[in-house]
């Protein structure tokens, strides 16, 4: 990271306390932690037999999948915008 101010906060994710360090606002960092926690709880509710490791991996897979879909949508929208400008 660069010389930007780093924020350090403690967050609770699925019953565990983690220290987050980043240049994003503490509000953003708490939103990230809350989203991960909520996703883990939703997946666990649908799959009660999952252990914590599998639950964490499925949460990561779902998050990356969502991120990739959003990036694809962004590329399509940027292409449409470019066509409209031409």
């Amino acid at each position: 990271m660069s010389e930007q101010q780093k924020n350090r906060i403690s967050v609770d994710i699925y019953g565990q306390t983690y220290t987050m360090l980043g240049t994003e606002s503490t509000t953003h960092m708490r939103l990230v932690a809350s989203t991960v926690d909520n996703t883990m709880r939703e997946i666990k509710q649908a799959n009660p037999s999952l252990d914590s490791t599998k639950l964490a991996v499925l949460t990561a897979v779902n998050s990356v999948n969502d991120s990739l879909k959003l990036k694809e949508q962004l590329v399509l929208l940027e292409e449409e915008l470019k066509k409209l400008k031409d």
Side-chain angles (χ1 to χ4, degrees), residues 10-81:
S10 291
V11 296
D12 183 72
I13 300 173
Y14 205 68
Q16 297 289 319
T17 301
Y18 297 91
T19 299
M20 293 179 68
L21 178 66
T23 57
E24 295 82 5
S25 70
T26 56
T27 301
H28 177 81
M29 293 166 68
R30 288 189 194 287
L31 178 59
V32 169
S34 175
T35 302
V36 171
D37 183 69
N38 290 338
T39 301
M40 290 182 77
R41 292 179 190 286
E42 288 171 8
I43 293 171
K44 182 64 172 186
Q45 186 174 9
N47 304 280
S49 64
L50 289 177
D51 63 32
S52 295
T53 301
K54 288 181 181 174
L55 180 59
V57 169
L58 280 178
T59 301
V61 168
N62 285 346
S63 296
V64 171
N65 180 56
D66 291 346
S67 176
L68 291 174
K69 287 196 288 188
L70 286 171
K71 286 179 183 179
E72 290 170 3
Q73 289 177 346
L74 178 60
V75 168
L76 292 175
L77 288 171
E78 287 173 338
E79 289 171 357
E80 286 183 38
L81 182 59

